[in-house]
Amino acid sequence: MADNSKLVGSLNLARLEGAGIMSVKGKSGAVKKCVVIPIDENDIFIKVEEKTTQQGEVYLSKLYALGIEIMEKREPDQWGNVCHAKLATSKEWINNHTPAELETRNKVFLGNFKSVAIPSSNQAATIDAPLADPEPQNDDDLPF
């Protein structure tokens, strides 16, 4: 992949075990269409903890992570895809499932990625942006 390029693609969340779409009514009464993905079946890592910003404000830091592996192809395919994504598997998941379940999980294909050149006139590619503390998310309308 060239220095001034990025990978562009999508992950098919419908390939995850038990994934579906559900309408969820928020606290304000508004109904939102949501993708629902079972946590345990898909080996999703959850970490929620209170953190404090440099200004002393306390917020809830949330991490809901799905492990994936990006595999580079030897040659681009007929559509120009240079990488594909599949599920990664944690040691805990491996220890709690049968070899047959592991083999099935290792075959879950999530999507492809193409390499796209970033034009040199794009200043975002050449400017180092300072790191910032994460902003607290406002998910007040969801019931969880």
Side-chain angles (χ1 to χ4, degrees), residues 99-118:
E101 290 171 320
L102 178 60
E103 184 177 338
T104 299
R105 180 179 172 82
N106 284 337
K107 293 179 182 176
V108 175
F109 171 81
L110 296 174
N112 284 306
F113 297 89
K114 295 179 183 184
S115 179
V116 177
I118 300 172

Side-chain angles (χ1 to χ4, degrees), residues 40-122:
D40 292 334
E41 292 86 338
N42 291 289
D43 196 22
I44 296 175
F45 175 75
I46 306 293
K47 183 176 182 180
V48 179
E49 62 185 356
E50 277 191 2
K51 290 192 173 184
T52 306
T53 65
Q54 292 177 348
Q55 294 77 23
E57 296 175 22
V58 177
Y59 67 96
L60 203 55
S61 172
K62 301 175 187 177
L63 172 65
Y64 312 138
L66 175 67
I68 62 170
E69 296 176 4
I70 306 292
M71 311 296 284
E72 189 172 3
K73 298 180 180 198
R74 289 187 190 129
E75 297 289 328
D77 65 17
Q78 65 191 40
W79 298 280
N81 296 310
V82 296
C83 299
H84 70 273
K86 68 181 208 84
L87 287 174
T89 307
S90 70
K91 193 175 202 176
E92 180 182 342
W93 197 94
I94 292 170
N95 291 337
N96 291 317
H97 292 81
T98 67
E101 290 171 320
L102 178 60
E103 184 177 338
T104 299
R105 180 179 172 82
N106 284 337
K107 293 179 182 176
V108 175
F109 171 81
L110 296 174
N112 284 306
F113 297 89
K114 295 179 183 184
S115 179
V116 177
I118 300 172
S120 59
S121 62
N122 182 347

